[in-house]
Amino acid sequence: MTMSREEQMRIPAAELSARVLGAPAGALSPQARAYAVRRWLQRRRPALAGAITVEAAEGGVLLRAEGEVAEARLREARELLRPEHPAAAAEEVEIEVDAAEFAVETTGTPEPEPARREPERLRSEVRYFPYPTCEWFEISTGELVLTERRVRFEPRLQIVGESGWGRSGEHEHPLEDLLRFWRGEWWDVPCLMLQMPQRTYRYGWPARRQEPGTIFEVDEWLSLLRSITGRWE
């Protein structure tokens, strides 16, 4: 019998968000810190919380997970538990672009359509990385929305060239046309991969953490897609 692989990660109290602990880290006992972390994960990300064990540890907490994706789950949990900090945007690189070559336009609010009134199952802040190759100016930030019938990417900004063609427009994927979905990456950024008949799309973690309710969990998206489509990818 093959033993299940276990991974563990120790997170110092200083790296735990105040919104997670609900009090200064130094004011809590190790047991109280572990309880606060478990309660926050269960409330915010039940699927991830069910796959991770949180234990009290001196000076922080100890996370354990088993299985082939144990390390990835621990990394995602660490990102969820970290405080908001300007360093989170360090991966964003500022590059000067000639205004005559590119223009940035905000996308207007679209007219309501029947599909947009579908109840939402999940909404997350993501970045779109074109697949299989991706240039810096093709990356766009927006929200990924899941309903019972489709996945929709709503970009925040749209870059257009002289021709006016949108390089980072809205994407809408009917689930009935979805050929495959799986966990991928862009460099070291965890991503959700969606294979459609004509093209494969890649959505990953945003550069900046937004509201807790819109945090992008790849495993959570995969779990819901499996539940809705009845397929195990």
Side-chain angles (χ1 to χ4, degrees):
M1 178 181 298
T2 302
M3 298 297 291
S4 178
R5 177 183 176 184
E6 180 183 271
E7 299 284 349
Q8 65 181 39
M9 176 183 293
R10 184 182 296 270
I11 303 180
E15 295 184 12
L16 296 173
S17 171
R19 73 174 185 270
V20 173
L21 299 178
L28 300 176
S29 67
Q31 292 74 20
R33 281 196 300 266
Y35 174 77
V37 169
R38 281 195 298 267
R39 183 180 59 182
W40 194 88
L41 286 175
Q42 289 168 357
R43 187 169 66 248
R44 296 296 184 180
R45 289 293 183 269
L48 183 62
I52 290 179
T53 300
V54 182
E55 300 179 4
E58 192 64 34
V61 295
L62 181 66
L63 307 184
R64 299 180 187 272
E66 296 183 353
E68 295 181 358
V69 296
E71 186 177 353
R73 287 170 174 164
L74 293 177
R75 288 200 306 267
E76 292 183 15
R78 180 183 59 191
E79 290 300 320
L80 288 171
L81 297 171
R82 281 178 171 175
E84 296 288 345
H85 194 280
E91 65 181 291
E92 289 190 320
V93 180
E94 293 187 2
I95 303 178
E96 293 187 1
V97 181
D98 188 349
E101 182 178 358
F102 292 99
V104 178
E105 299 177 357
T106 57
T107 55
T109 303
E111 292 297 324
E113 298 176 4
R116 300 186 186 285
R117 290 195 289 268
E118 296 174 12
E120 294 181 3
R121 295 291 302 275
L122 192 58
R123 176 182 286 268
S124 302
E125 186 84 6
V126 301
R127 277 181 297 173
Y128 167 59
F129 303 105
Y131 180 87
T133 60
C134 175
E135 299 292 342
W136 70 266
F137 54 81
E138 296 177 309
I139 299 173
S140 59
T141 299
E143 292 191 329
L144 200 62
V145 182
L146 175 65
T147 72
E148 293 289 340
R149 298 174 56 191
R150 69 194 71 236
V151 176
R152 185 174 67 254
F153 174 65
E154 302 173 349
R156 182 184 305 157
L157 297 176
Q158 186 169 11
I159 301 178
V160 296
E162 293 179 356
S163 65
W165 176 70
R167 294 181 183 273
S168 53
E170 181 172 297
H171 311 149
E172 193 163 284
H173 316 299
L175 294 184
E176 62 183 10
D177 295 337
L178 183 59
L179 301 179
R180 184 185 172 211
F181 52 90
W182 72 98
R183 182 189 184 90
E185 63 179 23
W186 184 77
W187 292 89
D188 60 347
V189 178
C191 296
L192 172 69
M193 310 293 295
L194 302 178
Q195 183 180 353
M196 304 304 293
Q198 303 299 326
R199 187 175 179 182
T200 296
Y201 295 81
R202 175 168 52 190
Y203 305 98
W205 284 356
R208 301 171 186 264
R209 295 301 178 195
Q210 303 297 325
E211 294 297 324
T214 64
I215 291 176
F216 182 49
E217 278 287 350
V218 178
D219 286 344
E220 183 178 26
W221 273 83
L222 291 174
S223 178
L224 271 177
L225 283 171
R226 291 170 186 144
S227 174
I228 293 173
T229 63
R231 291 152 51 187
W232 186 268
E233 299 289 344

